[in-house]
Amino acid sequence: MNVAIIGGGLSGLLCALLLERRGYSPTIYERLPKVGGVLDSFKRKKILFDVGFHYSGALAKGQYLYNSMRELGILDKLKLEEYEGAFDALYVDDEVFTVPLSSLAFKEQLQERFPKESEAIELFFQKCHESSVISSKPEDFVKVDSRSLKDVMKDIKDETLRKVFLHFTIFYATALYEEASFDFYAKIFINMLDGTRKVEGGGGAIIAALKNSLTKTTIKTKSEVTKIFQDENGVEALLCKGEKIECDAIISTAHPKTTLKMFDELDKKQTRYKSHVDDLEESPSFFSIFCLMDADVKSNLYFYEDEFISVLPSRKREGKTVATILAGSYYSEYENLSKDEYKKKKAQECERHLERVKKLYDFGNVEVVDSSTPLTKQRYSNGQEGSVYGVLCSAKQKSLSVLMPRTRVKNLYFAGENIIAPGLIGAFLGAEILMNYFEEKK
């Protein structure tokens, strides 16, 4: 069976490795010069910067990502790093909240800070623990939980406390998003509190471990797929650099909206399906500043003022902190600008966000090495409007409207951050669930 994978980012590499283990020899078609996509790291002035991965939950021994990486044989190729003390520090309503590596310690800390909300906090943590198990078993992922975070937080009245809990929506949806899917929130919340780790070398180390584990996969870079063909039996071929290449199945890690535009013709059911996909709301994007700071920053800093902004330290270099500053941004602010207008806008936004963080915290001297806009994210993700997590992980869109790996086009499958769930956890979960549709070869 000839399986083609569109996209050589994290999900594409994961799917290839899982398919190899089931006896397949897939081909990855990557439009960029190298695989990795937004998860990969990059170097400027010989300094390593992280892009789409800074840290993740579920990486403690026995947790979901730890187990999945071990089973895939890549855990031994990675070095997991624990934080010294709190992994996050939240600046909310002129107060500072540190987030420790323990759901129990965090619960007790909040109960002490908000004694009138003690029972509500206890109940909230209980509900989160009940929904925190991450599983790719068919009987688990077909369950529908339509609750929003707002629904579950209804008994929590203190506005500052609500913002503290809402902080965790930044990891899979957008900042302080009450309509976020509670089901995925619980998985992120508990698995981060009990299992957040960094990876030495950042996202690039994960990409290298996956790529180096592939033995039967053909990787074609600078190979953009522009068209998909189907007949009465489903997908039959794809078009890459003007060549029509036959295939028996296609796994697309490109955005579903982008993928479905590759078909010249769709039948009525497929057209309705495409219309449904096109109507899905996207998550917003970020403006990123890659810099060196004099300050010794150990925790990830999140400032929830009038505008959200964060500072994520990655590693040390010659006594300075290598960090990424992230601020909310929108693709529409850049898409119609000329080259000169774009450069000017980018420089202005970089300066504006830099001045913002300097007023919020004493970072000492901050040397800007590079910056990126939603257009940069769009180029490396092949997504929609530079959305940082693809399809917005709202309660509605991740329950009744959730996209599953199997599509309305026979033998066309989706993988990636738009399916099931976003982020590192979502990529692993989606790839593992997808394998339920591929029989193991004997």
Side-chain angles (χ1 to χ4, degrees):
M1 187 179 188
N2 182 10
V3 182
I5 299 173
I6 300 175
L10 170 64
S11 293
L13 295 172
L14 275 172
C15 289
L17 185 53
L18 287 166
L19 284 170
E20 281 193 3
R21 293 187 146 220
R22 300 180 81 82
Y24 297 86
S25 300
T27 300
I28 292 176
Y29 296 86
E30 170 55 54
R31 64 189 178 90
L32 297 175
K34 65 172 186 173
V35 297
V38 293
L39 191 79
D40 205 0
S41 308
F42 75 97
K43 282 188 176 182
R44 288 288 185 276
K45 297 182 179 179
K46 298 181 179 180
I47 305 168
L48 183 69
F49 288 100
D50 297 324
V51 184
F53 174 84
H54 295 88
Y55 60 115
S56 176
L59 281 171
K61 187 175 182 179
Q63 287 189 321
Y64 172 71
L65 283 178
Y66 183 98
N67 292 341
S68 292
M69 289 180 173
R70 183 187 60 197
E71 289 170 10
L72 283 173
I74 65 171
L75 186 63
D76 291 341
K77 300 176 183 179
L78 301 172
K79 182 180 179 182
L80 303 181
E81 301 176 331
E82 290 192 39
Y83 281 84
E84 299 175 21
F87 63 89
D88 281 356
L90 319 181
Y91 292 75
V92 181
D93 296 339
D94 298 322
E95 294 188 62
V96 183
F97 298 85
T98 56
V99 184
L101 267 171
S102 164
S103 58
L104 177 60
F106 191 48
K107 181 189 72 173
E108 292 175 345
Q109 174 187 311
L110 294 177
Q111 287 176 319
E112 185 176 340
R113 293 278 289 268
F114 301 93
K116 293 181 180 180
E117 300 273 8
S118 183
E119 289 186 14
I121 292 170
E122 188 74 38
L123 182 59
F124 182 75
F125 271 83
Q126 180 184 326
K127 289 179 178 178
C128 287
H129 274 287
E130 289 171 355
S131 298
S132 65
V133 176
I134 305 170
S135 171
S136 59
K137 295 178 181 178
E139 62 269 24
D140 292 326
F141 74 77
V142 295
K143 295 176 182 177
V144 176
D145 185 344
S146 60
R147 290 177 296 174
S148 69
L149 184 52
K150 183 179 180 180
D151 295 334
V152 182
M153 288 176 58
K154 62 184 179 181
D155 294 327
I156 297 171
K157 307 302 181 184
D158 190 284
E159 287 302 317
T160 300
L161 177 57
R162 291 178 70 88
K163 289 179 184 177
V164 171
F165 283 135
L166 285 167
H167 158 66
F168 291 85
T169 66
I170 196 65
F171 302 111
Y172 70 101
T174 186
L176 307 181
Y177 186 49
E178 289 195 341
E179 298 302 326
S181 162
F182 172 72
D183 182 60
F184 198 61
Y185 174 91
K187 292 170 173 51
I188 290 290
F189 183 61
I190 298 300
N191 284 279
M192 288 198 75
L193 289 173
D194 292 330
T196 287
R197 300 288 187 272
K198 291 192 288 186
V199 176
E200 185 179 275
I206 301 175
I207 294 299
L210 285 168
K211 183 182 176 183
N212 294 336
S213 298
L214 297 174
T215 58
K216 297 184 290 184
T217 299
T218 301
I219 298 176
K220 296 184 177 182
T221 55
K222 296 183 181 179
S223 299
E224 182 176 8
V225 175
T226 54
K227 189 176 290 188
I228 300 174
F229 303 91
Q230 66 169 324
D231 57 20
E232 64 275 8
N233 297 315
V235 295
E236 59 163 340
L238 56 79
L239 189 69
C240 179
K241 295 193 290 189
E243 180 185 359
K244 187 175 181 180
I245 303 169
E246 293 184 358
C247 49
D248 301 305
I250 294 176
I251 298 171
S252 178
T253 67
H255 197 290
K257 295 178 184 179
T258 303
T259 304
L260 293 174
K261 287 178 182 176
M262 296 181 188
F263 289 88
D264 283 337
E265 292 184 6
L266 296 170
D267 64 28
K268 288 183 178 180
K269 287 185 178 180
Q270 293 167 350
T271 300
R272 286 197 296 270
Y273 177 69
K274 181 179 181 298
S275 179
H276 162 70
V277 171
D278 289 340
D279 287 341
L280 292 173
E281 184 182 356
E282 300 293 321
S283 59
S285 193
F286 286 136
F287 187 98
S288 305
I289 301 173
F290 307 99
C291 57
L292 288 174
M293 295 178 164
D294 283 347
D296 183 14
V297 184
K298 288 185 169 62
S299 300
N300 303 289
L301 310 180
Y302 292 85
F303 302 92
Y304 292 102
E305 306 299 325
D306 294 334
E307 288 184 86
F308 156 80
I309 197 165
S310 65
V311 177
L312 312 181
S314 297
R315 55 191 60 85
K316 293 291 182 183
R317 188 179 187 275
E318 298 178 355
K320 296 181 182 292
T321 300
V322 179
T324 305
I325 299 170
L326 295 177
S329 188
Y330 294 91
Y331 183 84
S332 58
E333 297 175 352
Y334 298 89
E335 63 175 327
N336 295 318
L337 299 180
S338 66
K339 186 176 181 179
D340 289 339
E341 289 172 335
Y342 175 80
K343 289 176 65 176
K344 182 180 179 180
K345 170 76 172 175
K346 184 179 177 183
Q348 289 174 338
E349 285 297 282
C350 183
E351 185 61 31
R352 182 172 78 87
H353 294 310
L354 198 59
E355 289 302 312
R356 286 176 61 203
V357 294
K358 286 181 178 180
K359 291 177 181 178
L360 295 168
Y361 192 93
D362 183 12
F363 292 104
N365 182 60
V366 179
E367 177 189 348
V368 176
V369 178
D370 205 349
S371 62
S372 68
T373 72
L375 265 66
T376 317
K377 172 69 167 64
Q378 174 65 18
R379 167 173 167 75
Y380 285 95
S381 70
N382 199 16
Q384 290 287 308
E385 300 183 352
S387 59
V388 66
Y389 296 123
V391 172
L392 184 62
C393 196
S394 65
K396 179 183 177 182
Q397 294 194 163
K398 289 302 177 180
S399 55
L400 300 176
S401 303
V402 67
L403 290 177
M404 298 298 286
R406 187 161 61 181
T407 74
R408 290 296 178 91
V409 180
K410 189 176 180 181
N411 295 330
L412 171 68
Y413 303 91
F414 289 148
E417 63 185 358
N418 301 284
I419 312 305
I420 310 296
L424 194 66
I425 292 174
F428 274 80
L429 193 58
E432 289 179 2
I433 290 171
L434 175 60
M435 291 305 113
N436 287 290
Y437 302 104
F438 286 85
E439 293 183 1
E440 187 169 351
K441 288 187 175 182
K442 296 182 180 179

